[in-house]
Amino acid sequence: MADKKFNPLPGFGLTLGFTLFYLSVIVLIPIAALFLKSFSLSWREFLDLATNARALAAYKLTFGASAIAALANAVFGTLLAWVLVRYDFPGRRFIDALVDFPFALPTAVAGLTLASLFAENGWLGQFLVPYGIKGAFTPLGVVLALTFVGMPFVVRTLQPVLENFDRGVEEAAATLGAGRWRTFLRIIAPTLLPTIITGFALAFARAIGEYGSIVFISGNMPFQTEIAPTLIVMRLESYDYTGAMALAIVLMLFSFVLLAAINWLENWAGKFTKQ
Amino acid sequence: MSIELKNVSKKFGGVSAVHEVSFSVNDGELVALLGPSGCGKTTVLRMISGLELPTGGDLFVRGVRVNDIPVQQRNIGFVFQSYALFKNMTVFKNIAFGLKIKKWKQADIAARVAELLTLLGLEGFENRYPHQLSGGQRQRVAIARALAPKPSVLLLDEPFGAVDAKIRQELREWLVHLHHDLKVTTLFVTHDQEEAMEVSNRIVIFSRGHLEQVGTPREVYEQPVNEFVARFIGVMNVLELEVRGGIARAHELEFPNHGLPDGQRLRIGFRPYAVQISTNLKTFRYQAVLRHTYFLGVLLRLELELPSGLTVRARMTKEEFAHLGLSDGQSVSMQIRQYRVLAHEGEVLRPEVATTYDIPVNLGEGI
């Protein structure tokens, strides 16, 4: 005991033990069960179920629409965070509160609202549809819904970082002759990049898992507006448990790889900007 | 003249931060802007650089009025208190940043950066990132970056505020040497009067947005124009006297009335070194008790208490102290050898009043 590292604030053993237990119950055991269950399938059967044309179309829409939505959130979320942190204007606090709205609103409600807005006879749809912009029951609708649910992530991750951003750095660039555009591109953007990537990753992950709002706005047309989570539900409803499971495993592995890649990217972008 | 301010004012909203300030800095001078925090000295520095616009008055840099010239075009080197280094760039790129904007050739940039790295003792650090440097090194990178585009003047905002006391001392000496080598006109802000006295050729003293005095360290120490300067630069005993019976008095201390009638008040100040002390109770006029001795290295500061309870601060070398054989609690006699009449903060006395008055040693015996 004497050579055990002394810590005046004990608790490591207990907290780690609880963490592992909690993680097992909530995350690891369900995932393991999913994998175990899929072992009842042969490799061929699994491939058939996981990579048939309908499934591939669903993956493409899920990941594609999620990426576009997360990217849109990265750009506009950065802008929104910048405006909220840097400027004081009437209604700032209200807008700030509004950012959390997608967190609190049941996503089904969001989907329903968006669908009725963009439908051919909806408030916005009646003006947009004649110009060929169809927001409801199209892939565009999926992107819209995913952008909505992912909106707070970039804003909320970026805000504290922007608040601590040293204004002196921008002023230093100005005294050295740099205009605003150059200052933004060469100094502000590289410094914020790791945080923007983190926000992007969170929004992306959230979008991949989204189901509730999509059901209403996409129309769930196979090969067109059907996302992978919807397809899983379809298969479950027709008692095709193994088929649903095969999709789930692919989705999970994909998400895992993507998140790992983004994590690595984030580390890479942040390596110059440690405190 | 490198920098000139004429009646420069700055108001934030309705609050006046800098009020009609005029002073100038000569070519190649090293000048300190000194004052307590919140006195407007940093605002003055920022107005010269163009980071802040004055609400009144004229600013000249090298004879050119710069009020309407944007910060990017003023060619002024500015060193921030927080260093404000570009964290995503190496030391080399930080220093080269201003040169790239001026479209210098690659080879010229490399040569200029190498020159500055040598000058500032940063050789071998060009590929480090700011987070890999110590506080003192970051400070030097910030100065190198500001100096790189050969600015017409160098401005430093509290340059040594964020480093510990020992490094601060080294950096002060280093700044003096650097200034000696480069001869670039330098203006720096500090709230530390010792730092200002030690480093600068001249000191500009501010208080609450007003300029109180401009002068060499010796001038502001020996001839403070008012009470604020007297108290801010070094230690000063300040007394408020009332003229009664043709003599200006405060407690048991008596001074000449300077021509003022009975009932008038006047303020005077005297430095601790102007207080003479003897262990012989008959040598000087006033009796006092040595309450406490503060050891400051070569010097000692003594706190004397007069019978009325008035405390007077005195100073002597430790040799004198040992020679007199003083100890706390001892009774002594004392005398004030020299004093100045002081104006209140913000007001300046007529030159004939604001002089130093010597008191003959035997004055006490006579009255």
Side-chain angles (χ1 to χ4, degrees):
Chain A
M1 284 304 275
D3 60 351
K4 207 172 158 191
K5 214 170 162 196
F6 172 75
N7 187 341
L9 306 169
F12 175 69
L14 186 67
T15 47
L16 182 73
F18 181 75
T19 305
L20 287 178
F21 169 74
Y22 189 78
L23 213 60
S24 303
V25 170
I26 302 289
V27 181
L28 294 176
I29 292 175
I31 289 177
L34 185 67
F35 271 94
L36 282 174
K37 190 93 197 227
S38 70
F39 286 151
S40 60
L41 289 167
S42 78
W43 183 239
R44 271 230 69 84
E45 284 172 318
F46 174 80
L47 272 188
D48 273 350
L49 283 169
T51 65
N52 63 34
R54 187 171 171 188
L56 286 179
Y59 299 142
K60 213 174 124 195
L61 182 64
T62 298
F63 290 105
S66 297
I68 294 169
L71 214 58
N73 277 323
V75 175
F76 296 108
T78 303
L79 205 65
L80 187 52
W82 180 270
V83 170
L84 286 176
V85 171
R86 278 304 174 89
Y87 307 107
D88 205 7
F89 51 90
R92 191 181 67 89
R93 293 174 70 91
F94 176 71
I95 294 178
D96 194 55
L98 216 59
V99 169
D100 284 329
F101 202 53
F103 275 151
L105 193 72
T107 53
V109 177
L112 213 55
T113 313
L114 287 171
S116 57
L117 261 180
F118 288 101
E120 233 163 308
N121 52 0
W123 277 7
L124 289 172
Q126 58 180 319
F127 304 112
L128 294 175
V129 172
Y131 293 100
I133 303 167
K134 290 178 190 148
F137 317 121
T138 60
L140 178 65
V142 177
V143 172
L144 275 174
L146 294 180
T147 308
F148 177 83
V149 298
M151 209 260 297
F153 290 97
V154 176
V155 181
R156 289 291 179 242
T157 36
L158 206 54
Q159 259 177 334
V161 178
L162 268 176
E163 267 157 20
N164 291 325
F165 192 81
D166 182 7
R167 294 289 284 266
V169 171
E170 287 167 66
E171 293 180 339
T175 61
L176 291 165
R180 281 308 278 170
W181 189 235
R182 186 195 287 258
T183 306
F184 183 79
L185 279 186
R186 301 298 308 278
I187 291 149
I188 300 170
T191 314
L192 297 183
L193 195 62
T195 316
I196 297 176
I197 294 174
T198 306
F200 171 83
L202 290 170
F204 190 56
R206 175 73 181 81
I208 290 173
E210 176 57 12
Y211 170 74
S213 61
I214 308 296
V215 182
F216 292 99
I217 197 169
S218 76
N220 309 317
M221 288 169 278
F223 299 103
Q224 282 176 44
T225 59
E226 185 178 59
I227 55 166
T230 320
L231 186 57
I232 293 177
V233 175
M234 301 276 215
R235 287 191 177 172
L236 285 176
E237 277 172 353
S238 54
Y239 305 103
D240 179 8
Y241 292 123
T242 45
M245 214 141 43
L247 282 177
I249 282 173
V250 171
L251 220 52
M252 205 174 64
L253 288 176
F254 236 87
S255 303
F256 186 76
V257 169
L258 272 170
L259 287 178
I262 288 167
N263 209 359
W264 176 83
L265 193 66
E266 204 181 306
N267 268 334
W268 172 81
K271 74 177 170 180
F272 317 121
T273 52
K274 281 179 221 116
Q275 279 300 320
Chain B
M1 213 99 72
S2 257
I3 304 171
E4 198 177 357
L5 282 80
K6 281 185 185 163
N7 301 318
V8 170
S9 299
K10 176 72 183 177
K11 283 184 179 160
F12 291 106
V15 186
S16 177
V18 174
H19 186 73
E20 302 206 342
V21 165
S22 303
F23 70 91
S24 59
V25 179
N26 300 320
D27 261 339
E29 254 191 319
L30 176 52
V31 172
L33 290 181
L34 175 68
S37 34
C39 70
K41 56 196 192 300
T42 296
T43 308
V44 168
L45 205 70
R46 290 171 63 86
M47 285 194 285
I48 297 170
S49 71
L51 291 169
E52 215 77 72
L53 293 178
T55 43
D58 300 300
L59 271 163
F60 298 88
V61 174
R62 299 206 167 222
V64 179
R65 187 174 180 274
V66 295
N67 285 46
D68 306 316
I69 299 178
V71 51
Q72 284 88 353
Q73 285 157 34
R74 286 198 194 182
N75 193 29
I76 281 170
F78 200 105
V79 177
F80 291 82
Q81 188 177 5
S82 63
Y83 313 143
L85 295 180
F86 307 137
K87 286 193 270 183
N88 55 318
M89 296 184 193
T90 59
V91 169
F92 184 97
K93 286 191 172 164
N94 264 282
I95 300 173
F97 188 79
L99 303 177
K100 278 196 182 143
I101 290 166
K102 295 205 160 158
K103 300 201 164 59
W104 282 35
K105 291 199 192 87
Q106 281 298 326
D108 294 342
I109 292 178
R112 178 66 176 155
V113 174
E115 184 190 338
L116 285 162
L117 288 170
T118 312
L119 187 67
L120 300 179
L122 290 164
E123 300 106 319
F125 289 98
E126 52 266 44
N127 293 321
R128 299 262 191 112
Y129 284 92
H131 70 89
Q132 297 166 314
L133 301 176
S134 71
Q137 288 166 339
R138 285 181 207 183
Q139 174 71 67
R140 280 180 281 157
V141 174
I143 293 175
R145 183 180 66 181
L147 284 172
K150 304 194 171 161
S152 52
V153 292
L154 181 65
L155 308 176
L156 302 105
D157 186 9
E158 299 268 0
F160 314 126
V163 287
D164 63 57
K166 189 170 148 32
I167 309 257
R168 187 152 61 222
Q169 186 57 42
E170 286 172 19
L171 281 169
R172 280 182 198 170
E173 287 168 17
W174 172 84
L175 181 68
V176 171
H177 292 154
L178 184 80
H179 179 259
H180 181 83
D181 293 345
L182 293 176
K183 299 271 185 289
V184 58
T185 309
T186 307
L187 192 55
F188 76 100
V189 158
T190 180
H191 61 263
D192 182 343
Q193 50 99 4
E194 227 173 86
E195 187 167 288
M197 300 280 273
E198 201 178 304
V199 174
S200 57
N201 304 135
R202 285 197 301 148
I203 303 178
V204 179
I205 300 167
F206 280 92
S207 140
R208 294 188 219 153
H210 291 262
L211 191 150
E212 299 287 348
Q213 188 171 4
V214 184
T216 64
R218 198 189 174 110
E219 278 165 8
V220 296
Y221 184 76
E222 291 184 346
Q223 295 148 35
V225 294
N226 60 35
E227 187 182 338
F228 174 80
V229 177
R231 281 180 186 271
F232 200 69
I233 302 285
V235 178
M236 181 115 122
N237 294 290
V238 175
L239 292 175
E240 174 142 347
L241 309 177
E242 196 187 337
V243 181
R244 269 181 283 122
I247 294 169
R249 307 162 195 267
H251 298 265
E252 53 269 84
L253 298 179
E254 298 181 345
F255 295 85
N257 63 4
H258 292 275
L260 293 172
D262 275 16
Q264 289 276 0
R265 290 177 166 270
L266 108 135
R267 287 174 95 80
I268 60 117
F270 52 96
R271 296 283 183 202
Y273 67 74
V275 177
Q276 286 178 303
I277 295 173
S278 171
T279 44
N280 183 341
L281 300 180
K282 297 246 161 69
T283 308
F284 299 122
R285 176 174 171 191
Y286 303 110
Q287 310 298 307
V289 174
L290 177 57
R291 273 288 164 235
H292 196 80
T293 316
Y294 298 92
F295 180 71
L296 308 171
V298 181
L299 289 172
L300 296 166
R301 201 171 87 216
L302 313 178
E303 229 172 64
L304 299 170
E305 194 180 302
L306 278 79
S308 65
L310 180 72
T311 299
V312 168
R313 281 171 295 181
R315 195 175 82 168
M316 63 173 63
T317 63
K318 71 181 177 205
E319 285 77 16
E320 262 182 284
F321 190 80
H323 179 73
L324 290 175
L326 287 168
S327 60
D328 286 4
Q330 194 171 345
S331 291
V332 295
S333 67
M334 59 153 271
Q335 154 83 6
I336 295 151
R337 192 157 48 78
Q338 212 177 47
Y339 68 94
R340 287 178 64 79
V341 176
L342 300 173
H344 287 285
E345 188 173 333
E347 73 185 41
V348 176
L349 288 179
R350 284 170 289 127
E352 65 270 23
V353 181
T355 50
T356 303
Y357 298 94
D358 291 321
I359 303 177
V361 176
N362 62 0
L363 179 88
E365 316 282 338
I367 297 172

